[in-house]
Amino acid sequence: MAESSQLLRVVMLLTMYFLLFQRISSALPPTPAGTLCVPRERDALLDFKAGLTDPSNLLSSWRGVECCRWTGVVCSNRTGHVVTLQVKSDWAIRGEIRPSLLTLRHLKQLDLSYNDFGLKHIPTFIGALGRGRLMHLDLSLSNFRGRIPPHLGNLSDLVSLQLNGMRYAYSRDLAWVSRLRKLQVLSMLHIDLSRAVDWTHAINMLPNL
Ligand SMILES: *[C@@H]1O[C@H](CO)[C@@H](O)[C@H](O)[C@H]1NC(C)=O
Ligand SMILES: *[C@@H]1O[C@H](CO)[C@@H](O)[C@H](O)[C@H]1NC(C)=O
């Protein structure tokens, strides 16, 4: 009798250890060597960086395997996926936004304000960032020109959209804005809306603005 209760205690103890181990191992990130960063997201970030020129070396921390510690990169501490990317530079950083950012499928917040993107057009793939689930986008004073791509209207979870100080950008048809039903902050100072026919209507459509 005493022997079997002893055995029961051992079995229970082993079960507890097993459950504890399972919990710990399932909480571990899916990458080896204790890094949080997801390798394909790290590669995407490096490719994004390769599209930029950074003479002041503001992105010097962007090396090594742990991309979650790089300047401006925030990962989910549960999954390791990059959720926030913020690269602002007082126009020290120039270059282009590469579509490798689409690999950051869990991105919620992108801030690329105050960089010099050389008066190119805003790339249309921006409307697919974070699989279209981006919540915050800031491209203020980032030196883009031309038409604001209506593809931004595909970012249906967008809560804030900041496109200030783009003196050479314009939007003639703001129907895409009315598709952003969750929008709470919209700023487009200096964007030429003079020939936008429908902007009051588009903005009145938004319940949270
Ligand atoms: C994970 O992040 C949340 C919020 O960002 C924080 O409150 C929490 O302490 C973090 N957990 C760990 C284990 O770092
Ligand atoms: C996003 O929006 C644009 C224009 O508003 C549209 O042409 C395009 O097909 C959309 N893309 C996706 C993936 O829904």
Side-chain angles (χ1 to χ4, degrees):
M1 193 65 194
E3 231 170 78
S4 77
S5 80
Q6 185 84 6
L7 186 67
L8 195 66
R9 269 171 54 189
V10 171
V11 169
M12 276 176 65
L13 216 61
L14 280 175
T15 310
M16 268 172 62
Y17 277 127
F18 179 72
L19 288 176
L20 199 67
F21 179 75
Q22 276 224 315
R23 275 185 71 120
I24 290 169
S25 55
S26 70
L28 281 175
T31 44
T35 52
L36 188 59
C37 175
V38 177
R40 60 196 296 269
E41 299 195 356
R42 181 185 63 236
D43 293 346
L45 287 167
L46 288 175
D47 187 70
F48 167 70
K49 185 189 175 193
L52 304 173
T53 46
D54 176 22
S56 309
N57 252 326
L58 298 173
L59 302 181
S60 59
S61 65
W62 286 39
R63 56 222 295 274
V65 290
E66 187 45 286
C67 71
C68 298
R69 296 224 191 95
W70 296 354
T71 307
V73 177
V74 178
C75 299
S76 156
N77 56 13
R78 201 170 45 81
T79 64
H81 290 297
V82 175
V83 291
T84 296
L85 179 60
Q86 183 182 58
V87 175
K88 308 171 70 144
S89 73
D90 287 330
W91 304 285
I93 289 178
R94 289 178 289 124
E96 57 167 348
I97 302 179
R98 290 199 175 169
S100 42
L101 283 191
L102 294 175
T103 303
L104 308 176
R105 291 159 59 86
H106 300 264
L107 197 64
K108 293 284 178 225
Q109 185 162 3
L110 179 65
D111 180 355
L112 298 178
S113 57
Y114 297 87
N115 299 302
D116 181 2
F117 292 114
L119 289 175
K120 289 189 278 287
H121 288 87
I122 298 177
T124 54
F125 66 75
I126 210 122
L129 283 173
R131 280 178 299 170
R133 311 301 298 274
L134 201 71
M135 295 173 71
H136 304 277
L137 178 63
D138 191 346
L139 297 176
S140 296
L141 290 148
S142 54
N143 224 0
F144 282 106
R145 74 174 171 92
R147 187 171 79 135
I148 305 294
H151 304 70
L152 284 176
N154 295 346
L155 293 172
S156 52
D157 282 352
L158 221 50
V159 174
S160 73
L161 174 61
Q162 311 207 50
L163 303 172
N164 291 312
M166 290 191 194
R167 292 174 184 280
Y168 305 100
Y170 65 87
S171 188
R172 303 251 156 89
D173 169 14
L174 283 176
W176 59 269
V177 175
S178 57
R179 286 160 56 206
L180 303 174
R181 309 296 294 184
K182 297 185 184 167
L183 211 57
Q184 291 174 22
V185 176
L186 172 65
S187 42
M188 306 209 298
L189 276 176
H190 297 126
I191 287 185
D192 179 6
L193 302 177
S194 60
R195 276 188 269 169
V197 280
D198 55 352
W199 74 271
T200 38
H201 175 70
I203 285 171
N204 285 337
M205 297 281 290
L206 298 171
N208 299 317
L209 214 59

